[in-house]
């Protein structure tokens, strides 16, 4: 069972008016949108998970996160919204499960994320608060989940912690070098080989 996890594809990262816009945001958005359209029509995927950095305006200034990145993705602001179109996943044709994971920390494995499941064809979200992401992904594993394709914005703060978490939980992880926003394909490959050489040699982490 395979799912796609797209990390923080939000306006503050992917829009020219965002507070932390990545380089070449427009071209990356186009590439990412094409990938999402591919997923929605490909029966190899069982679900797609969009993670969403969700910061509280009252708490962020004094948080550890503020020491790393300027204010961004405040809940309810334009910057918190997705910078890509997640509505056209062809639910009527594919019945693809689509989840949105709102997480308060950079690392999806920290804090108490809220999981929303978009019910196909309805536009209605059901909301579930879990004690941690491990609990939710453990439930997915019981359904046969064992492979993740990971993409999105902000390599150091979002992608790397996600890789660590998935590998630690025995997932096979695939990353496409054109689907990580703020790092070149050569830098990505070199960085991953330095950090995860053994996992790549064993086929646990694949860079394509």
């Amino acid at each position: 069972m395979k799912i796609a996890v797209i990390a923080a594809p939000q306006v503050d990262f992917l829009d020219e008016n965002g507070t932390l816009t990545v380089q070449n945001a427009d071209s990356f958005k186009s590439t990412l949108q094409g990938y999402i359209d591919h997923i929605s029509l490909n029966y190899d995927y069982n679900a797609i998970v969009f993670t969403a950095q969700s910061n509280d305006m009252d708490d962020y200034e004094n948080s550890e996160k503020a020491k790393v990145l300027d204010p961004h993705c405040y809940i309810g602001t334009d910057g918190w919204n997705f910078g890509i179109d997640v509505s056209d996943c062809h639910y009527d044709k594919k019945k693809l499960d689509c989840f949105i994971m709102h997480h308060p920390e950079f690392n999806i494995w920290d804090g108490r994320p809220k999981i929303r499941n978009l019910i196909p064809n309805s536009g209605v979200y059901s909301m579930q608060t879990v004690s941690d992401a491990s609990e939710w992904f453990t439930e997915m594993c019981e359904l046969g989940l064992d492979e993740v394709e990971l993409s999105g914005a902000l390599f150091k703060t979002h992608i790397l912690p996600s890789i660590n978490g998935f590998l630690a939980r025995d997932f096979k992880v695939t990353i496409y070098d054109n689907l990580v926003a703020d790092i070149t394909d050569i830098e990505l490959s070199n960085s991953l080989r330095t950090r995860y050489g053994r996992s790549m040699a064993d086929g646990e982490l694949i860079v394509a």
Side-chain angles (χ1 to χ4, degrees):
M1 178 178 174
K2 178 168 66 175
I3 65 171
V5 176
I6 300 177
Q10 291 161 276
V11 167
D12 268 346
F13 305 130
L14 301 184
D15 189 89
E16 62 180 10
N17 296 317
T19 60
L20 295 172
T21 307
V22 298
Q23 290 185 347
N24 302 315
D26 285 343
S27 61
F28 177 76
K29 278 197 297 184
S30 177
T31 302
L32 187 59
Q33 193 68 59
Y35 172 62
I36 293 169
D37 293 342
H38 162 75
I39 293 170
S40 68
L41 295 173
N42 191 316
Y43 284 80
D44 289 340
Y45 297 86
N46 297 83
I48 181 169
V49 179
F50 298 95
T51 78
Q53 181 73 61
S54 300
N55 295 320
D56 190 315
M57 190 177 299
D58 295 330
D59 298 336
Y60 189 85
E61 185 175 330
N62 297 317
S63 70
E64 290 298 312
K65 291 180 290 185
K67 299 177 182 179
V68 181
L69 291 176
D70 291 336
H72 63 284
C73 298
Y74 284 151
I75 296 171
T77 64
D78 288 341
W80 178 62
N81 294 325
F82 286 134
I84 54 174
D85 181 10
V86 303
S87 64
D88 188 22
C89 283
H90 302 283
Y91 299 110
D92 56 328
K93 299 178 182 177
K94 179 66 168 53
K95 304 299 186 193
L96 183 72
D97 281 326
C98 177
F99 300 92
I100 300 175
M101 176 181 288
H102 295 281
H103 54 101
E105 306 297 335
F106 294 141
N107 191 343
I108 63 171
W109 306 105
D110 295 335
R112 292 174 56 85
K114 291 181 170 60
I115 313 295
R116 295 197 294 171
N117 184 5
L118 178 61
I119 301 171
N121 292 322
S122 69
V124 175
Y125 288 92
S126 62
M127 181 72 83
Q128 172 190 9
T129 301
V130 295
S131 59
D132 57 44
S134 294
E135 172 191 322
W136 187 75
F137 279 108
T138 296
E139 294 176 2
M140 296 290 280
C141 284
E142 293 173 354
L143 299 175
L145 171 64
D146 59 1
E147 185 176 352
V148 172
E149 287 187 357
L150 183 61
S151 61
L154 301 188
F155 177 69
K156 289 183 179 179
T157 56
H158 290 76
I159 300 296
L160 279 179
S162 296
I163 294 174
N164 293 336
F166 283 120
L167 289 178
R169 292 160 179 83
D170 297 323
F171 288 94
K172 177 181 177 181
V173 179
T174 297
I175 295 182
Y176 296 102
D177 57 18
N178 64 334
L179 288 172
V180 179
D182 60 335
I183 189 170
T184 68
D185 54 353
I186 295 176
E187 290 171 338
L188 175 68
S189 179
N190 290 341
S191 180
L192 293 180
R193 289 188 183 282
T194 299
R195 290 178 168 88
Y196 305 107
R198 177 63 63 85
S199 295
M200 293 176 71
D202 293 342
E204 298 166 352
L205 174 62
I206 297 172
V207 181

